Structure formats: C-alpha cells, structure tokens
Amino acid sequence: MAASVTAAVGALSRLSRPLCCLHRLVVSSRLDPRLRGPPSHGFGTAAWLQKEQKVVAEASRYTKQPWAYLESTEYEERYGSSPVWSGYRRNHKGSIPPQKTRKTCIRGEKVSGNPCPICRDPNIIIHPQNVALLEQFISPHSGMVHDTHLTGVCRKQQKKLLEAITTARDEGLLQFQIPYVEFSGEDYSNSHDAVGSTPRPPALTDGDTWYKWYSEIIPDEKEVAKVRKTYKAYLKQGC
C-alpha cells in the first residue's frame, strides 16, 4: 500500500511542471494558432505538451527581447511592411462603429471575440526599448500618438503605449520635435517695469486710501451702533 502511494506521488510530481506551464500560458495558447488543433488530438497528450513547451520557450525569448520579434521572419510573413494595426476592424453590431474601444480584450482566461491588434498576438510586447513597435503608433507628420479609433487598440493597451512612448522619449530612444521659440534680449533684461524697482503708489504717499471710492462710503449709523454694542468690551470709550 505504501509503495503504491509513493509511486502515485512521484507520478504527480513529474506532471506538475508541464501542468504549471499550461496554466500560466492558457491565454497565449488560445490566441496562438500553433497550439490550435482538431479535437481528436486530445488535451494533455505528449505531443500537445511538447508543442506547448516549444511555444513557452519562444515566448520567453521574446519576453526578454521584445524587439527581436519585429526582426524575425515570422513577423514579416504575418504583417510584412505594414504596421500591426493595419487592416484591423473590430466586430460590432450595426454599421456604425462604437466611439470608444473596449476596456480590455482579455479578462482572466476569457478572450473577447476579435481582440485588438496587440492582444491578438502574444509575441507583441510593449516595452520602451521596442522602438520599432512604438513608431508604428506615432504619426510621422505631427509626432502625436494615433488615437484608438484609428488603430483599434483597447484602452488598456493604449495606456501602456502612452507610458512606454513617454519613457522612451525621456530616455532618448524616440525622437520628438520641440517647437522653436526665438528669444529676444528684452526677455532677460531688468529694465522694464515688470522686474525693475516698482515705486510706491502715489495714493499711499499722500495719505489717502488705496481705493478712492472707499473714502466716499458713509457707514450706516445703526449698523455702527450694533457693532459698538457687540464689541463694547474691546472698544475704547472715545471711539
């Protein structure tokens, strides 16, 4: 009895690693066409696990170097010289597309129908050093990031794109234009009244009030009497 229990525990320990890899990349396996096969292949067979481990190794390679995928032959066969969002059209009801893209395409293990150009390909990874990918989402004429209604990217990936583009520009990996402003010498001089010594206003030197209309106001005697009655302990006798 003890020998059979020991053998069962050993078999489960040998199967733990491939099952963990399968659970970790279940979403990528659903999107990657290399893992799709007819139902007769079976789930968890040796051939399927071998194919899954191969995809895991390739995915880890692109995770460490995301820019290597855009230089591979696999990317050229799938996209060619066009950007990843070229020709993408989201599925929607009716003839009028929605004004906003979906919040996210992947929720846990559930993948929406026709995911966005970034979520549909697990090898596309947004990273500040992946300059070739970031340049596809920047207009070459204005230098501004393309809106989601043009690229079809979900809002979650759009937020990651904006963060990666900002980081890449701060680190000097992406070029961006700074508007040219011609400065004159007057902007740095202290001769004009804004930065020079300001004389005192003539109203204070003459002893008048700051506002001329303030001296023309005559207070109401009843209101003055109420204030004196309220603060009689703090006012002087001759006030």
Side-chain angles (χ1 to χ4, degrees):
M1 182 67 180
S4 61
V5 172
T6 305
V9 171
L12 289 175
S13 63
R14 287 192 298 271
L15 291 175
S16 60
R17 293 187 64 183
L19 289 177
C20 290
C21 294
L22 173 64
H23 177 71
R24 185 166 52 250
L25 291 178
V26 61
V27 176
S28 300
S29 63
R30 293 180 63 185
L31 293 176
D32 202 316
R34 293 171 294 182
L35 296 180
R36 297 176 183 174
S40 60
H41 288 180
F43 181 79
T45 59
W48 195 93
L49 290 175
Q50 185 178 2
K51 187 184 295 185
E52 195 271 341
Q53 290 175 359
K54 182 180 179 181
V55 175
V56 169
E58 294 181 359
S60 63
R61 180 187 62 180
Y62 293 138
T63 302
K64 296 178 181 179
Q65 296 181 353
W67 52 89
Y69 174 64
L70 278 77
E71 300 174 356
S72 62
T73 57
E74 181 183 358
Y75 176 84
E76 294 181 359
E77 293 176 356
R78 184 169 183 177
Y79 300 102
S81 59
S82 302
V84 296
W85 51 268
S86 178
Y88 172 79
R89 185 180 183 276
R90 177 186 169 186
N91 294 339
H92 56 83
K93 296 181 180 179
S95 59
I96 301 176
Q99 296 181 357
K100 294 183 180 180
T101 56
R102 59 174 67 94
K103 291 184 178 180
T104 180
C105 301
I106 302 174
R107 298 180 184 273
E109 298 181 358
K110 296 182 180 180
V111 183
S112 61
N114 191 15
C116 72
I118 296 180
C119 294
R120 68 182 176 183
D121 194 348
N123 295 326
I124 296 179
I125 301 174
I126 299 175
H127 194 272
Q129 297 181 0
N130 197 356
V131 179
L133 176 65
L134 300 180
E135 288 179 347
Q136 297 181 5
F137 295 88
I138 300 176
S139 175
H141 308 287
S142 62
M144 300 183 66
V145 182
H146 289 308
D147 196 57
T148 54
H149 75 274
L150 178 63
T151 60
V153 178
C154 63
R155 281 177 275 176
K156 180 179 180 180
Q157 298 294 344
Q158 182 73 5
K159 183 178 179 180
K160 292 182 180 180
L161 277 172
L162 294 176
E163 293 176 355
I165 290 173
T166 303
T167 305
R169 286 175 174 175
D170 293 341
E171 295 178 357
L173 301 176
L174 276 177
Q175 297 180 357
F176 62 96
Q177 298 179 355
I178 299 177
Y180 175 74
V181 179
E182 184 177 357
F183 296 97
S184 59
E186 298 179 355
D187 297 331
Y188 298 97
S189 64
N190 57 357
S191 59
H192 50 84
D193 298 337
V195 295
S197 58
T198 305
R200 298 186 63 184
L204 296 181
T205 56
D206 297 340
D208 299 334
T209 57
W210 183 275
Y211 301 103
K212 296 182 178 179
W213 54 266
Y214 189 77
S215 59
E216 300 175 358
I217 298 178
I218 300 175
D220 190 3
E221 295 295 337
K222 295 182 179 179
E223 297 296 333
V224 174
K226 290 181 181 179
V227 173
R228 288 181 177 178
K229 184 177 180 181
T230 304
Y231 300 99
K232 61 181 179 181
Y234 303 97
L235 296 175
K236 294 182 180 180
Q237 186 68 22
C239 211

Short mmCIF file of all heavy atoms in Angstrom, two decimals, residues 107-146:
data_model
loop_
_atom_site.label_atom_id
_atom_site.label_comp_id
_atom_site.label_asym_id
_atom_site.label_seq_id
_atom_site.Cartn_x
_atom_site.Cartn_y
_atom_site.Cartn_z
N ARG A 107 -9.81 39.09 -20.05
CA ARG A 107 -10.23 39.17 -18.65
C ARG A 107 -10.02 37.80 -18.02
O ARG A 107 -10.84 36.90 -18.18
CB ARG A 107 -11.70 39.58 -18.52
CG ARG A 107 -11.99 40.96 -19.08
CD ARG A 107 -13.46 41.31 -18.94
NE ARG A 107 -13.79 42.58 -19.53
CZ ARG A 107 -13.70 43.76 -18.90
NH1 ARG A 107 -13.31 43.79 -17.64
NH2 ARG A 107 -14.02 44.88 -19.52
N GLY A 108 -8.90 37.65 -17.34
CA GLY A 108 -8.58 36.35 -16.76
C GLY A 108 -8.25 35.35 -17.86
O GLY A 108 -7.28 35.49 -18.61
N GLU A 109 -9.09 34.32 -17.99
CA GLU A 109 -8.92 33.31 -19.02
C GLU A 109 -9.89 33.50 -20.18
O GLU A 109 -9.93 32.70 -21.10
CB GLU A 109 -9.09 31.91 -18.43
CG GLU A 109 -8.07 31.56 -17.35
CD GLU A 109 -8.26 30.17 -16.81
OE1 GLU A 109 -9.23 29.51 -17.25
OE2 GLU A 109 -7.47 29.74 -15.95
N LYS A 110 -10.69 34.55 -20.13
CA LYS A 110 -11.68 34.80 -21.18
C LYS A 110 -11.12 35.82 -22.17
O LYS A 110 -10.68 36.89 -21.78
CB LYS A 110 -12.99 35.32 -20.57
CG LYS A 110 -13.69 34.31 -19.67
CD LYS A 110 -15.01 34.87 -19.16
CE LYS A 110 -15.72 33.88 -18.26
NZ LYS A 110 -17.01 34.43 -17.75
N VAL A 111 -11.16 35.45 -23.44
CA VAL A 111 -10.67 36.31 -24.51
C VAL A 111 -11.87 36.74 -25.35
O VAL A 111 -12.69 35.91 -25.76
CB VAL A 111 -9.64 35.59 -25.39
CG1 VAL A 111 -9.09 36.53 -26.46
CG2 VAL A 111 -8.51 35.04 -24.54
N SER A 112 -12.00 38.04 -25.58
CA SER A 112 -13.12 38.55 -26.36
C SER A 112 -12.96 38.16 -27.83
O SER A 112 -11.86 37.86 -28.31
CB SER A 112 -13.21 40.07 -26.22
OG SER A 112 -12.02 40.67 -26.71
N GLY A 113 -14.05 38.20 -28.55
CA GLY A 113 -14.00 37.93 -29.98
C GLY A 113 -13.31 39.04 -30.74
O GLY A 113 -13.56 40.21 -30.51
N ASN A 114 -12.42 38.64 -31.65
CA ASN A 114 -11.64 39.58 -32.45
C ASN A 114 -10.92 40.59 -31.56
O ASN A 114 -11.24 41.79 -31.54
CB ASN A 114 -12.53 40.31 -33.46
CG ASN A 114 -11.72 41.09 -34.49
OD1 ASN A 114 -10.52 40.87 -34.63
ND2 ASN A 114 -12.37 41.99 -35.19
N PRO A 115 -9.92 40.15 -30.77
CA PRO A 115 -9.19 41.08 -29.89
C PRO A 115 -8.40 42.11 -30.69
O PRO A 115 -8.23 42.00 -31.91
CB PRO A 115 -8.26 40.14 -29.10
CG PRO A 115 -8.14 38.92 -29.92
CD PRO A 115 -9.43 38.77 -30.67
N CYS A 116 -7.91 43.12 -29.99
CA CYS A 116 -7.23 44.24 -30.63
C CYS A 116 -5.90 43.78 -31.23
O CYS A 116 -5.42 42.68 -30.94
CB CYS A 116 -7.02 45.37 -29.62
SG CYS A 116 -5.76 45.03 -28.37
N PRO A 117 -5.25 44.60 -32.07
CA PRO A 117 -4.02 44.18 -32.74
C PRO A 117 -2.90 43.77 -31.81
O PRO A 117 -2.02 42.99 -32.21
CB PRO A 117 -3.63 45.41 -33.56
CG PRO A 117 -4.91 46.13 -33.80
CD PRO A 117 -5.74 45.89 -32.58
N ILE A 118 -2.88 44.26 -30.58
CA ILE A 118 -1.80 43.90 -29.65
C ILE A 118 -2.18 42.65 -28.85
O ILE A 118 -1.35 41.78 -28.62
CB ILE A 118 -1.49 45.08 -28.72
CG1 ILE A 118 -0.95 46.25 -29.54
CG2 ILE A 118 -0.48 44.69 -27.65
CD1 ILE A 118 -0.60 47.47 -28.73
N CYS A 119 -3.44 42.55 -28.44
CA CYS A 119 -3.86 41.40 -27.64
C CYS A 119 -3.98 40.13 -28.47
O CYS A 119 -3.88 39.03 -27.92
CB CYS A 119 -5.19 41.71 -26.95
SG CYS A 119 -5.11 43.02 -25.72
N ARG A 120 -4.19 40.24 -29.76
CA ARG A 120 -4.37 39.03 -30.57
C ARG A 120 -3.07 38.32 -30.85
O ARG A 120 -3.05 37.14 -31.20
CB ARG A 120 -5.04 39.40 -31.89
CG ARG A 120 -4.18 40.24 -32.82
CD ARG A 120 -4.91 40.62 -34.09
NE ARG A 120 -4.10 41.50 -34.94
CZ ARG A 120 -4.53 42.02 -36.08
NH1 ARG A 120 -5.76 41.75 -36.49
NH2 ARG A 120 -3.75 42.81 -36.80
N ASP A 121 -1.95 38.99 -30.72
CA ASP A 121 -0.64 38.39 -30.96
C ASP A 121 0.16 38.40 -29.66
O ASP A 121 0.58 39.45 -29.19
CB ASP A 121 0.12 39.17 -32.04
CG ASP A 121 1.33 38.41 -32.56
OD1 ASP A 121 1.70 37.40 -31.94
OD2 ASP A 121 1.88 38.82 -33.61
N PRO A 122 0.35 37.23 -29.02
CA PRO A 122 1.07 37.22 -27.73
C PRO A 122 2.54 37.57 -27.85
O PRO A 122 3.19 37.86 -26.84
CB PRO A 122 0.89 35.78 -27.24
CG PRO A 122 0.65 34.98 -28.47
CD PRO A 122 -0.09 35.89 -29.42
N ASN A 123 3.10 37.56 -29.07
CA ASN A 123 4.51 37.89 -29.24
C ASN A 123 4.76 39.39 -29.28
O ASN A 123 5.91 39.81 -29.18
CB ASN A 123 5.04 37.26 -30.53
CG ASN A 123 5.03 35.74 -30.47
OD1 ASN A 123 5.23 35.14 -29.41
ND2 ASN A 123 4.77 35.10 -31.60
N ILE A 124 3.72 40.19 -29.44
CA ILE A 124 3.87 41.65 -29.43
C ILE A 124 3.84 42.12 -27.98
O ILE A 124 2.84 41.98 -27.28
CB ILE A 124 2.76 42.32 -30.25
CG1 ILE A 124 2.88 41.94 -31.72
CG2 ILE A 124 2.84 43.84 -30.10
CD1 ILE A 124 1.81 42.54 -32.59
N ILE A 125 4.96 42.66 -27.54
CA ILE A 125 5.11 43.10 -26.14
C ILE A 125 5.48 44.58 -26.16
O ILE A 125 6.41 44.99 -26.86
CB ILE A 125 6.20 42.29 -25.42
CG1 ILE A 125 5.82 40.80 -25.43
CG2 ILE A 125 6.37 42.78 -23.99
CD1 ILE A 125 6.90 39.90 -24.87
N ILE A 126 4.74 45.36 -25.43
CA ILE A 126 5.01 46.81 -25.34
C ILE A 126 6.15 47.04 -24.36
O ILE A 126 6.06 46.63 -23.19
CB ILE A 126 3.74 47.56 -24.91
CG1 ILE A 126 2.61 47.34 -25.93
CG2 ILE A 126 4.02 49.04 -24.75
CD1 ILE A 126 1.31 47.95 -25.53
N HIS A 127 7.18 47.70 -24.82
CA HIS A 127 8.35 47.98 -23.99
C HIS A 127 8.99 49.27 -24.49
O HIS A 127 8.99 49.55 -25.69
CB HIS A 127 9.35 46.83 -24.07
CG HIS A 127 10.40 46.87 -23.01
ND1 HIS A 127 11.59 47.57 -23.15
CD2 HIS A 127 10.44 46.31 -21.77
CE1 HIS A 127 12.31 47.43 -22.05
NE2 HIS A 127 11.65 46.67 -21.20
N PRO A 128 9.54 50.10 -23.60
CA PRO A 128 10.16 51.36 -24.06
C PRO A 128 11.31 51.14 -25.04
O PRO A 128 11.58 52.01 -25.88
CB PRO A 128 10.65 52.00 -22.75
CG PRO A 128 9.78 51.43 -21.69
CD PRO A 128 9.47 50.03 -22.13
N GLN A 129 12.00 50.00 -24.97
CA GLN A 129 13.10 49.73 -25.89
C GLN A 129 12.63 49.12 -27.21
O GLN A 129 13.44 48.97 -28.13
CB GLN A 129 14.12 48.81 -25.22
CG GLN A 129 14.78 49.42 -24.00
CD GLN A 129 15.81 48.49 -23.39
OE1 GLN A 129 16.03 47.38 -23.86
NE2 GLN A 129 16.45 48.93 -22.31
N ASN A 130 11.36 48.77 -27.30
CA ASN A 130 10.81 48.23 -28.55
C ASN A 130 10.42 49.42 -29.44
O ASN A 130 9.24 49.70 -29.66
CB ASN A 130 9.62 47.32 -28.26
CG ASN A 130 9.27 46.44 -29.43
OD1 ASN A 130 9.86 46.54 -30.50
ND2 ASN A 130 8.31 45.57 -29.24
N VAL A 131 11.42 50.10 -29.96
CA VAL A 131 11.20 51.36 -30.67
C VAL A 131 10.45 51.12 -31.98
O VAL A 131 9.60 51.92 -32.38
CB VAL A 131 12.55 52.05 -30.92
CG1 VAL A 131 12.35 53.37 -31.68
CG2 VAL A 131 13.26 52.31 -29.61
N ALA A 132 10.76 50.02 -32.66
CA ALA A 132 10.11 49.76 -33.95
C ALA A 132 8.60 49.60 -33.79
O ALA A 132 7.84 50.00 -34.68
CB ALA A 132 10.71 48.50 -34.58
N LEU A 133 8.16 49.04 -32.68
CA LEU A 133 6.72 48.90 -32.44
C LEU A 133 6.10 50.22 -32.06
O LEU A 133 4.99 50.56 -32.51
CB LEU A 133 6.48 47.85 -31.34
CG LEU A 133 5.03 47.65 -30.91
CD1 LEU A 133 4.20 47.08 -32.06
CD2 LEU A 133 4.95 46.74 -29.69
N LEU A 134 6.78 50.99 -31.23
CA LEU A 134 6.22 52.27 -30.78
C LEU A 134 6.10 53.26 -31.93
O LEU A 134 5.16 54.07 -31.96
CB LEU A 134 7.10 52.86 -29.67
CG LEU A 134 7.25 52.01 -28.40
CD1 LEU A 134 8.14 52.72 -27.40
CD2 LEU A 134 5.90 51.69 -27.78
N GLU A 135 7.02 53.22 -32.88
CA GLU A 135 6.95 54.15 -34.01
C GLU A 135 5.75 53.88 -34.91
O GLU A 135 5.32 54.78 -35.64
CB GLU A 135 8.24 54.05 -34.83
CG GLU A 135 9.45 54.66 -34.14
CD GLU A 135 10.71 54.52 -34.95
OE1 GLU A 135 10.69 53.73 -35.93
OE2 GLU A 135 11.71 55.18 -34.63
N GLN A 136 5.20 52.67 -34.87
CA GLN A 136 4.02 52.37 -35.67
C GLN A 136 2.78 53.08 -35.15
O GLN A 136 1.80 53.24 -35.89
CB GLN A 136 3.78 50.86 -35.70
CG GLN A 136 4.89 50.07 -36.35
CD GLN A 136 4.60 48.58 -36.38
OE1 GLN A 136 3.51 48.14 -35.98
NE2 GLN A 136 5.55 47.79 -36.84
N PHE A 137 2.79 53.50 -33.90
CA PHE A 137 1.63 54.16 -33.30
C PHE A 137 1.84 55.67 -33.15
O PHE A 137 1.09 56.33 -32.43
CB PHE A 137 1.34 53.55 -31.92
CG PHE A 137 0.91 52.12 -31.98
CD1 PHE A 137 1.83 51.09 -31.96
CD2 PHE A 137 -0.43 51.79 -32.09
CE1 PHE A 137 1.44 49.76 -32.03
CE2 PHE A 137 -0.84 50.47 -32.16
CZ PHE A 137 0.10 49.46 -32.13
N ILE A 138 2.86 56.22 -33.82
CA ILE A 138 3.14 57.65 -33.78
C ILE A 138 3.04 58.19 -35.20
O ILE A 138 3.58 57.60 -36.14
CB ILE A 138 4.53 57.93 -33.20
CG1 ILE A 138 4.63 57.39 -31.77
CG2 ILE A 138 4.84 59.42 -33.20
CD1 ILE A 138 6.00 57.54 -31.15
N SER A 139 2.36 59.31 -35.36
CA SER A 139 2.21 59.92 -36.67
C SER A 139 3.55 60.51 -37.12
O SER A 139 4.16 61.30 -36.38
CB SER A 139 1.14 61.02 -36.63
OG SER A 139 1.08 61.70 -37.87
N PRO A 140 4.04 60.17 -38.31
CA PRO A 140 5.32 60.74 -38.75
C PRO A 140 5.23 62.21 -39.12
O PRO A 140 6.26 62.88 -39.25
CB PRO A 140 5.67 59.88 -39.98
CG PRO A 140 4.34 59.41 -40.50
CD PRO A 140 3.47 59.24 -39.29
N HIS A 141 4.03 62.74 -39.31
CA HIS A 141 3.86 64.14 -39.72
C HIS A 141 3.75 65.08 -38.53
O HIS A 141 4.39 66.13 -38.49
CB HIS A 141 2.62 64.28 -40.60
CG HIS A 141 2.60 63.32 -41.76
ND1 HIS A 141 3.42 63.46 -42.85
CD2 HIS A 141 1.86 62.20 -41.98
CE1 HIS A 141 3.19 62.47 -43.71
NE2 HIS A 141 2.24 61.69 -43.21
N SER A 142 2.96 64.70 -37.54
CA SER A 142 2.74 65.57 -36.38
C SER A 142 3.49 65.11 -35.14
O SER A 142 3.66 65.90 -34.21
CB SER A 142 1.24 65.65 -36.06
OG SER A 142 0.73 64.37 -35.73
N GLY A 143 3.94 63.86 -35.10
CA GLY A 143 4.62 63.35 -33.92
C GLY A 143 3.70 62.99 -32.78
O GLY A 143 4.17 62.69 -31.68
N MET A 144 2.38 62.98 -33.01
CA MET A 144 1.41 62.66 -31.97
C MET A 144 1.02 61.18 -32.07
O MET A 144 1.11 60.56 -33.13
CB MET A 144 0.18 63.55 -32.09
CG MET A 144 0.48 65.03 -31.97
SD MET A 144 -1.01 66.05 -32.03
CE MET A 144 -1.80 65.56 -30.51
N VAL A 145 0.58 60.64 -30.94
CA VAL A 145 0.20 59.23 -30.88
C VAL A 145 -1.15 59.07 -31.56
O VAL A 145 -2.07 59.87 -31.36
CB VAL A 145 0.15 58.75 -29.42
CG1 VAL A 145 -0.19 57.26 -29.35
CG2 VAL A 145 1.48 59.00 -28.72
N HIS A 146 -1.27 58.02 -32.38
CA HIS A 146 -2.53 57.75 -33.06
C HIS A 146 -3.63 57.45 -32.04
O HIS A 146 -3.39 56.80 -31.00
CB HIS A 146 -2.38 56.56 -34.00
CG HIS A 146 -1.54 56.86 -35.21
ND1 HIS A 146 -1.77 57.95 -36.03
CD2 HIS A 146 -0.47 56.22 -35.74
CE1 HIS A 146 -0.89 57.96 -37.01
NE2 HIS A 146 -0.08 56.93 -36.85
#
